[in-house]
C-alpha cells in the first residue's frame, strides 16, 4: 500500500497529530516532525540496495556513538519503528522508499553564527573528540567504499570537470587534481585511516553560543585518512573568510591538542583542502547541469571558487610552514640564500646572472603565481614564457602522457609533428606555410639567418638599435643590445644598424613619425654600398624598453628590402601567440606579412621549443643546401606541448583576455602617471607593457627610481623587471591569465614604491 506521510508516522512510529515540515536535503527528502513536544527528523531515500546498505552502516555508526559518547545528544540517535526496525521499506506517496527516524538535535547551525576565536577552537576540539570515538568503529562497507565525496578518491571527480562552464576555472580544478596526484597520492597509504564524518560543514554543525554542540548528517561517513576530517572542516570553516589562514591555524591547533597531527598530515593539508574544494565545485557544476533548478547543491559554490583563488595566491609551502610552526612541529631547515648562491657559483659560471641582490629561491608555480622555498607566494607580472600560466594542467597532462608514449625525432613519421605544424600554420597568413622546429628563440634566429643567406646569397642585414634576437654567434651579430654593449663584440661589417623608431624618446614623434623613420631607413637601404638583403625586428622592441615600432614603419621598410630581392624577418619570440591582444602576431599591428617569423618563449609554455615559419619559396632555396636536422626540434613531446598551448589560448580566450586586461592595466598606469609625473610613458599592447620612468617634466631616464620600484615590488612579492638602454623602463608581460585584481595589486605597489622613494 502507498502511505501518506501522516499515516506512515502513525502506523510505523505511533506518532499522531504531528506537525510536519519538509526540510531541504542534498539528495533525499527529510521531514521535521513534532509530536507531543518531541521532535524527530524523518528521512526518506529512494529504495536502492546499495543505499540500503550504506544507510544501514550509518545507523550502526550512530548507534555506536550513542553507546560510546559521554554526551550522546551531540549526534543524531536512530529511533526504531513500532516493529523494532531502524530502517523501513515502504511506499510513500506512490514511491518505494527507505525511511528512517532520527532524534532531532537542537541548536543553531554554526553557519548562522559569525565565527569567533572560541567557536573555532570549540570546532577543533569537537571534531577531535568525535574522531577519538570513531577510531574504534569499524564497518566493512566503509572500508570498501570508493565514492566521489571522499578526498582520497579525488580522481573519481574527473568525469565532472567538464561540467564547469568556465574554461579557466576548469583549468584551476585540473591543476589541483593534478597536484593531488603528484604530491598526495603516493603518501595516502602511509596516512592513518579510520571512519570519519567527512562533512563537518557549517550546515551540519550545531552551535550554542560559542560552543559546537553537535553534528548531523553522517551520510558521507567513510573510512579515509583521518586528516581528511580536518581538511573538510577547515575547507568550510575558512572558505568564506577574509583571512582563511587565521582560522585554519586556530581550528587545527585545538584539534591537535586532542589528536596530535603528524608532519606529513600537516604538509598535505593544503592539497587536501584544495581537493575538497574541487570536489565541491565539480559536484555543484554537475548537479547544475543535471538539474539547473537544484539550488541546494550549489549553495557553497561561490565560496569554494573564491577559496580556490585564495589558495593559488597562498601556495602550499606557506600553509605547511605556518601550521608546523603553530603546532610546534619541526620546520624543515632551509639554507640561506647566500649559501645557495655560493653553491651555484661553485658549479656554474657567474655570467649567468641572477635577478635581485637577494635572489629568489623558487620552489613551484601555478598560473600567475610563483612560490619560493620560504613559502612566499609571488605574483608574476613579468614572465611571458609560461604564457598560458605556470604549470598549466592541460600542458602538463598532455606533455607527460606523450612522454610516456613516444618521444623521438623527425627522421620517423609520427602524427604529432604534422598535426602541430598544421595547427600552428593555420595561425599565419597564407604565404607563410612552412615551419622548421628548433629548441629556442636563438636557434630560430640562427636558422632564419641561414635561410636568408641561402635564399639571397648574401648576409647583409639591417637591424634595429637596441634589438635582441638570440645567444648564438649569428644571434649576437644581429643584436645591437649585445654587440654594442660596453663589453660586447662590436658591430660586424655585414650588419647595418638603423634607428629604433621610437615616438617617445626618439628623433621623431607625432602621427607621421613612422613614415619619417621609415624614410630614413629606406634611404639607408638604398644607399648602402653592399646590398642589404634582409631586415629583422621585433614589432615591440623588448630590450629597447618595450618600444612599439612607430605606426606605419614596417610597410615602407619591407617594401624597400623586397625591392632589392631581400627578405623580412619578424621576431615574435616575445610578442607572439596573442599576447599583444588585438592581434595574434605582433607584425599584424603594422599590416605587413614577413617572409620569416621567429618563434620561441611562449610557444611551449616553458618547454624549450622555437620555430621559423616561412614561405614555400624560402624553404625551397634552403633545400638546395645541406640537410637540416635538429635532434629535438619537432619531437612528438614538443609538438603535443605546442598544440596544448594553442588549445589553451583558444579555449580560455586568452588573446581577448590579454586585450581587456592589458587595456585596463595601461589605463590604470596612465591614471597613476597623473599623480606621479615620473611615469613618463606607458606603452605596449595587450599584456606586453613598458612603463618609462623619467625625471619629471623631461624624457631623461631615472634608472635609480626604476630600480627602486622593481626592488620594492620584489620585497612585496611581485615580479616585474627593468630594461631599455638605461635600464629605466619597467617591463611587465605576465602570464596571460593575469587578471584585473592582479593589475590593481601591481599598480597599487608601484604607487607605494614611488611614494616611498619620494619620501626619502
Ligand atoms: N628574440 C627575442 C626578441 C628574445 O627576447 C629572445 C630571448 N630573450 C630571443 C630571441 C632568444 O630566445 P632564447 O632565449 O629562447 O634563445
Amino acid at each position: 500500500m502507498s502511505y501518506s506521510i501522516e499515516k506512515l508516522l502513525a502506523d510505523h512510529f505511533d506518532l499522531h497529530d504531528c506537525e510536519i515540515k519538509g526540510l531541504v536535503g542534498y539528495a533525499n527528502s527529510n521531514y521535521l516532525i513534532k509530536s507531543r513536544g518531541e521532535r524527530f527528523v524523518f528521512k526518506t531515500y529512494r529504495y536502492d540496495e546499495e543505499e540500503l546498505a550504506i544507510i544501514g552502516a550509518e545507523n550502526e555508526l550512530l548507534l555506536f556513538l550513542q553507546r560510546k559518547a559521554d554526551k550522546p545528544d551531540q549526534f543524531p540517535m536512530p529511533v526504531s519503528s513500532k516493529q523494532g526496525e531502524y530502517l523501513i521499506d515502504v511506499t510513500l506517496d506512490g514511491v518505494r522508499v527507505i525511511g528512517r527516524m532520527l532524534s532531532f538535535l537542537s541548536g543553531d547551525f554554526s553557519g548562522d553564527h559569525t565565527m569567533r576565536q572560541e567557536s573555532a577552537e570549540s570546532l577543533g576540539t569537537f571534531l577531535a573528540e568525535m574522531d577519538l570515538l570513531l577510531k574504534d568503529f569499524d564497518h566493512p562497507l566503509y572500508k570498501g567504499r570508493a565514492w566521489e565525496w571522499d578526498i582520497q578518491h579525488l580522481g573519481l571527480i574527473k568525469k565532472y570537470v567538464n561540467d564547469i562552464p568556465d574554461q579557466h576555472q576548469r583549468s584551476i580544478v585540473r591543476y589541483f587534481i593534478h597536484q593531488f596526484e603528484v604530491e598526495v597520492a603516493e603518501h595516502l597509504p602511509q596516512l592513518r585511516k579510520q571512519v570519519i564524518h567527512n562533512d563537518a560543514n557549517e550546515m551540519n554543525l550545531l552551535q550554542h553560543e560559542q560552543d559546537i554542540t553537535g553534528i548531523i548528517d553522517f551520510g558521507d561517513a567513510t573510512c579515509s585518512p583521518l586528516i581528511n576530517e580536518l581538511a573538510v572542516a577547515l575547507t568550510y570553516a575558512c572558505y568564506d573568510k577574509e583571512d582563511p589562514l587565521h582560522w585554519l591555524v586556530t581550528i587545527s591547533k585545538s584539534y591537535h591538542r586532542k589528536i596530535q597531527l603528524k608532519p606529513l598530515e600537516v604538509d598535505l593539508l593544503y592539497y587536501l583542502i584544495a581537493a575538497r574544494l574541487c570536489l565541491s565545485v565539480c559536484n555543484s557544476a554537475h548537479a547544475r547541469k543535471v538539474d539547473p533548478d537544484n539550488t541546494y547543491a550549489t549553495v557553497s559554490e561561490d565560496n569554494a571558487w573564491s577559496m580556490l583563488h585564495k589558495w593559488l595566491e597562498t601556495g602550499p609551502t606557506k600553509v605547511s610552514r605556518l601550521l608546523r610552526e603553530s603546532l610546534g612541529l619541526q620546520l624543515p631547515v632551509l639554507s640561506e640564500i647566500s649559501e645557495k648562491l655560493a653553491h651555484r657559483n661553485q658549479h656554474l659560471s657567474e655570467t649567468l646572472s641572477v635577478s635581485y641582490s637577494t635572489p629568489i629561491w623558487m620552489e613551484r608555480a601555478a598560473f600567475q603565481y610563483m612560490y619560493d622555498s620560504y613559502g612566499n607566494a609571488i605574483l608574476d607580472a613579468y614572465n611571458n614564457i609560461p604564457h598560458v600560466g605556470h604549470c598549466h594542467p592541460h600542458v602538463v597532462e598532455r606533455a607527460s602522457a606523450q612522454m610516456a608514449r613516444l618521444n623521438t625525432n623527425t627522421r620517423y613519421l609520427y602524427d604529432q609533428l604534422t598535426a602541430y605544424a598544421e595547427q600552428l600554420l593555420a595561425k599565419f597568413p597564407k604565404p607563410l606555410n612552412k615551419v622548421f622546429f628548433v629548441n629556442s628563440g636563438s636557434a630560430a634566429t640562427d636558422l632564419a639567418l641561414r635561410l636568408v643567406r641561402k635564399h639571397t646569397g648574401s648576409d647583409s642585414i639591417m637591424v634595429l638599435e637596441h634589438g635582441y634576437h638570440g645567444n648564438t654567434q649569428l644571434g649576437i651579430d644581429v643584436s645591437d643590445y649585445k654587440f654594442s654593449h660596453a663589453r660586447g663584440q662590436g658591430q660586424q661589417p655585414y650588419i647595418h644598424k638603423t634607428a629604433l623608431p621610437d615616438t617617445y624618446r626618439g628623433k621623431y614623434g607625432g602621427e607621421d613619425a613612422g613614415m619619417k623613420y621609415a624614410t630614413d631607413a629606406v634611404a639607408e637601404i638604398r644607399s648602402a654600398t653592399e646590398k642589404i638583403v634582409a631586415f629583422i625586428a621585433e614589432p615591440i622592441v623588448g630590450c629597447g624598453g618595450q618600444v612599439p615600432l612607430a605606426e606605419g614603419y614596417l610597410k615602407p621598410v619591407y617594401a624597400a628590402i623586397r625591392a632589392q630581392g631581400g627578405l623580412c624577418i619578424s621576431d615574435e619570440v616575445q610578442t607572439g601567440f596573442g599576447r599583444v591582444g588585438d592581434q595574434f602576431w605582433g607584425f599584424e599591428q603594422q599590416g605587413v606579412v614577413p617572409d620569416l617569423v621567429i618563434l620561441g618563449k611562449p610557444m611551449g609554455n616553458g618547454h624549450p621549443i622555437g620555430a621559423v615559419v616561412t614561405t614555400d619559396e624560402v624553404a625551397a632555396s634552403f633545400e638546395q643546401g645541406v640537410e637540416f636536422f635538429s635532434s629535438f626540434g619537432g619531437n612528438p613531446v614538443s609538438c603535443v606541448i605546442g598544440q596544448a598551448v594553442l588549445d589553451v589560448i583558444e579555449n580560455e580566450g586568452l588573446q581577448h583576455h590579454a586585450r581587456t586586461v592589458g587595456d585596463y592595466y595601461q589605463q590604470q598606469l596612465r591614471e597613476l602617471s597623473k599623480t606621479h609625473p615620473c611615469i613618463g610613458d606607458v606603452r605596449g599592447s595587450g599584456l606586453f607593457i613598458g612603463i618609462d620612468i623619467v625625471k619629471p617634466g623631461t624624457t631623461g631616464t631615472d634608472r635609480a627610481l626604476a630600480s627602486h620600484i622593481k626592488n620594492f615590488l620584489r620585497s612585496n612579492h611581485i615580479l616585474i623587471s627593468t630594461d631599455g638602454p638605461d635600464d629605466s623602463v619597467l617591463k611587465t608581460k605576465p602570464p596571460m591569465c593575469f587578471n584585473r585584481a592582479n593589475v590593481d595589486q601591481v599598480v597599487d605597489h608601484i604607487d607605494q614604491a614611488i611614494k616611498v622613494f619620494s619620501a626619502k
Side-chain angles (χ1 to χ4, degrees):
M1 66 176 282
S2 180
Y3 282 99
S4 65
I5 181 78
E6 290 81 5
K7 185 150 174 50
L8 185 151
L9 293 173
D11 283 12
H12 285 266
F13 294 93
D14 232 350
L15 295 172
H16 303 274
D17 304 323
C18 303
E19 236 181 83
I20 303 168
K21 197 174 133 204
L23 300 172
V24 256
Y26 193 87
N28 52 336
S29 302
N30 301 332
Y31 303 90
L32 173 63
I33 316 289
K34 262 196 215 166
S35 172
R36 287 181 231 116
E38 270 196 282
R39 283 186 294 180
F40 303 92
V41 174
F42 186 66
K43 294 184 159 225
T44 64
Y45 309 78
R46 260 178 194 278
Y47 187 88
D48 173 271
E49 291 291 329
E50 202 183 323
E51 186 82 84
L52 186 64
I54 294 168
I55 306 163
E58 186 187 330
N59 260 8
E60 282 186 38
L61 186 160
L62 292 175
L63 290 166
F64 172 88
L65 285 174
Q66 290 301 316
R67 289 195 299 277
K68 287 278 180 174
D70 291 340
K71 287 182 272 179
D73 60 353
Q74 295 176 105
F75 312 107
M77 177 178 70
V79 177
S80 63
S81 70
K82 278 197 312 197
Q83 293 78 19
E85 290 169 326
Y86 286 113
L87 298 178
I88 58 172
D89 174 3
V90 287
T91 304
L92 177 63
D93 298 327
V95 180
R96 187 178 178 190
V97 295
I98 307 159
R100 65 197 285 233
M101 190 71 83
L102 297 172
S103 64
F104 177 84
L105 298 194
S106 59
D108 309 325
F109 288 122
S110 80
D112 295 333
H113 286 255
T114 304
M115 188 172 277
R116 301 249 164 80
Q117 196 65 18
E118 295 117 282
S119 55
E121 283 172 11
S122 171
L123 171 59
T125 312
F126 180 91
L127 282 178
E129 285 174 349
M130 175 180 71
D131 287 340
L132 286 170
L133 294 174
L134 287 175
K135 194 167 173 239
D136 298 324
F137 180 74
D138 205 359
H139 196 289
L141 185 129
Y142 286 150
K143 280 221 175 93
R145 193 178 189 195
W147 73 311
E148 59 214 24
W149 276 103
D150 184 351
I151 295 175
Q152 68 177 324
H153 299 299
L154 184 67
L156 294 174
I157 209 70
K158 283 185 183 172
K159 59 183 180 290
Y160 297 154
V161 173
N162 288 346
D163 294 342
I164 298 169
D166 182 274
Q167 295 268 359
H168 182 58
Q169 288 189 326
R170 223 184 258 186
S171 295
I172 291 175
V173 166
R174 281 172 69 189
Y175 168 79
F176 279 118
I177 294 177
H178 193 258
Q179 291 301 304
F180 182 90
E181 285 164 0
V182 172
E183 304 290 349
V184 181
E186 68 171 304
H187 299 296
L188 286 173
Q190 288 153 259
L191 297 173
R192 54 183 150 168
K193 274 175 122 181
Q194 66 164 72
V195 172
I196 58 171
H197 176 282
N198 194 34
D199 196 16
N201 72 55
E202 71 278 24
M203 300 313 280
N204 282 341
L205 288 161
L206 297 165
Q207 184 168 341
H208 180 71
E209 295 181 348
Q210 294 308 312
D211 280 336
I212 299 300
T213 54
I215 189 165
I216 58 169
D217 194 355
F218 283 70
D220 287 3
T222 191
C223 183
S224 195
L226 174 64
I227 190 65
N228 287 345
E229 185 84 287
L230 189 58
V232 174
L234 291 172
T235 302
Y236 294 100
C238 298
Y239 74 170
D240 56 349
K241 304 292 185 292
E242 270 291 301
D243 182 5
L245 295 185
H246 169 78
W247 301 106
L248 178 111
V249 166
T250 308
I251 297 164
S252 304
K253 263 169 102 168
S254 64
Y255 188 94
H256 185 68
R257 268 183 224 117
K258 298 270 170 190
I259 300 178
Q260 280 257 314
L261 294 172
K262 305 192 170 161
L264 176 62
E265 291 172 325
V266 165
D267 292 348
L268 296 182
L269 260 177
Y270 172 86
Y271 298 106
L272 299 172
I273 290 170
R276 180 63 182 205
L277 291 163
C278 291
L279 284 178
S280 171
V281 295
C282 284
N283 276 306
S284 296
H286 181 65
R288 186 154 358 81
K289 188 179 149 197
V290 173
D291 174 10
D293 300 328
N294 182 346
T295 50
Y296 185 83
T298 56
V299 276
S300 54
E301 214 180 350
D302 290 347
N303 287 332
W305 281 118
S306 115
M307 176 91 173
L308 278 170
H309 284 276
K310 277 211 173 106
W311 238 210
L312 284 176
E313 289 164 24
T314 307
T317 312
K318 179 180 281 176
V319 174
S320 70
R321 288 186 71 86
L322 178 68
L323 275 172
R324 277 180 177 238
E325 206 171 1
S326 318
L327 305 184
L329 299 172
Q330 203 180 13
L331 280 169
V333 181
L334 294 174
S335 334
E336 294 291 323
I337 289 290
S338 53
E339 278 174 59
K340 282 270 139 194
L341 191 59
H343 190 199
R344 164 166 148 150
N345 289 341
Q346 240 180 330
H347 305 294
L348 295 149
S349 161
E350 288 186 35
T351 191
L352 291 176
S353 71
V354 209
S355 296
Y356 307 110
S357 49
T358 308
I360 308 176
W361 180 12
M362 289 297 186
E363 191 176 74
R364 54 180 70 242
F367 300 100
Q368 67 271 48
Y369 303 99
M370 300 187 81
Y371 312 107
D372 73 12
S373 300
Y374 301 97
N376 297 304
I378 302 164
L379 176 63
D380 187 356
Y382 172 57
N383 289 293
N384 57 340
I385 298 174
H387 190 64
V388 298
H390 288 273
C391 304
H392 192 290
H394 188 61
V395 180
V396 173
E397 286 165 17
R398 294 289 310 272
S400 46
Q402 186 58 41
M403 279 174 97
R405 204 169 284 143
L406 172 74
N407 200 11
T408 182
N409 63 65
T410 50
R411 295 206 196 281
Y412 305 101
L413 295 181
Y414 45 87
D415 294 338
Q416 293 81 0
L417 178 66
T418 329
Y420 180 40
E422 200 164 322
Q423 195 175 345
L424 182 66
L425 289 171
K427 291 284 180 191
F428 286 90
K430 268 223 168 64
L432 293 164
N433 61 0
K434 280 279 184 309
V435 56
F436 292 84
F437 290 114
V438 288
N439 312 115
S440 68
S442 301
T445 297
D446 201 278
L447 178 61
L449 296 173
R450 286 181 55 207
L451 283 157
V452 168
R453 286 176 182 193
K454 191 70 197 162
H455 187 76
T456 63
S458 166
D459 58 6
S460 171
I461 182 168
M462 177 169 266
V463 306
L464 283 187
E465 191 188 6
H466 308 307
Y468 176 70
H469 303 286
N471 61 25
T472 64
Q473 186 56 59
L474 288 183
I476 301 291
D477 285 359
V478 294
S479 299
D480 177 48
Y481 182 74
K482 291 282 177 191
F483 68 70
S484 292
H485 188 274
R487 284 180 282 161
Q489 65 179 29
Q491 188 170 331
Q492 298 283 358
Y494 74 92
I495 303 296
H496 304 263
K497 179 166 81 176
T498 191
L500 176 65
D502 173 359
T503 55
Y504 177 64
R505 191 173 279 116
K507 187 166 156 196
Y508 305 119
E511 280 192 359
D512 56 356
M515 191 49 77
K516 287 182 179 160
Y517 276 115
T519 307
D520 288 356
V522 169
E524 287 159 33
I525 292 166
R526 292 197 180 130
S527 63
T529 41
E530 190 190 358
K531 191 166 77 172
I532 301 176
V533 295
F535 174 86
I536 183 168
E538 285 181 276
I540 303 176
V541 182
C543 293
Q546 308 287 81
V547 179
L549 303 184
E551 208 181 317
Y553 174 76
L554 282 186
K555 257 192 188 155
V557 172
Y558 273 27
I561 292 286
R562 284 173 176 153
Q564 24 198 75
L567 298 172
C568 302
I569 310 172
S570 185
D571 183 340
E572 298 282 342
V573 165
Q574 298 269 0
T575 50
F577 294 92
R579 174 162 295 278
V580 296
D582 279 327
Q583 297 84 8
F584 201 78
W585 306 113
F587 62 76
E588 293 172 277
Q589 293 187 324
Q590 295 262 335
V592 295
V593 177
D595 305 291
L596 299 108
V597 180
I598 293 168
L599 305 177
K601 286 192 196 285
M603 194 176 178
N605 213 48
H607 176 82
I609 30 177
V612 180
V613 172
T614 189
T615 61
D616 261 337
E617 237 186 315
V618 172
S621 304
F622 198 58
E623 285 158 20
Q624 306 307 311
V626 291
E627 176 209 41
F628 173 75
F629 175 71
S630 161
S631 299
F632 301 130
N635 73 68
V637 171
S638 296
C639 289
V640 159
I641 290 173
Q643 283 195 283
V645 170
L646 290 175
D647 290 343
V648 179
I649 296 171
E650 178 79 27
N651 294 341
E652 296 190 13
L654 290 180
Q655 184 185 333
H656 174 75
H657 182 79
R659 180 163 72 83
T660 54
V661 177
D663 285 352
Y664 175 71
Y665 204 166
Q666 290 211 30
Q667 181 196 322
Q668 295 306 98
L669 289 165
R670 291 215 172 87
E671 203 51 43
L672 189 65
S673 72
K674 291 183 187 158
T675 46
H676 297 305
C678 59
I679 299 179
D681 191 27
V682 175
R683 56 183 177 245
S685 312
L687 286 172
F688 197 69
I689 295 172
I691 309 153
D692 207 317
I693 304 298
V694 296
K695 303 273 189 228
T698 73
T699 56
T701 57
D702 194 339
R703 181 190 191 142
L705 177 53
S707 163
H708 162 81
I709 297 171
K710 175 176 75 175
N711 286 300
F712 181 90
L713 263 61
R714 183 251 185 268
S715 42
N716 285 280
H717 309 307
I718 299 171
L719 301 182
I720 203 163
S721 177
T722 50
D723 212 333
D726 196 32
D727 213 19
S728 57
V729 180
L730 299 171
K731 231 160 90 156
T732 172
K733 45 192 178 106
M736 299 269 279
C737 47
F738 206 73
N739 60 38
R740 282 170 176 249
N742 301 144
V743 167
D744 292 339
Q745 195 182 336
V746 175
V747 174
D748 179 52
H749 280 85
I750 293 178
D751 180 29
Q752 287 180 39
I754 297 172
K755 284 179 180 152
V756 168
F757 193 78
S758 320
K760 273 188 188 167

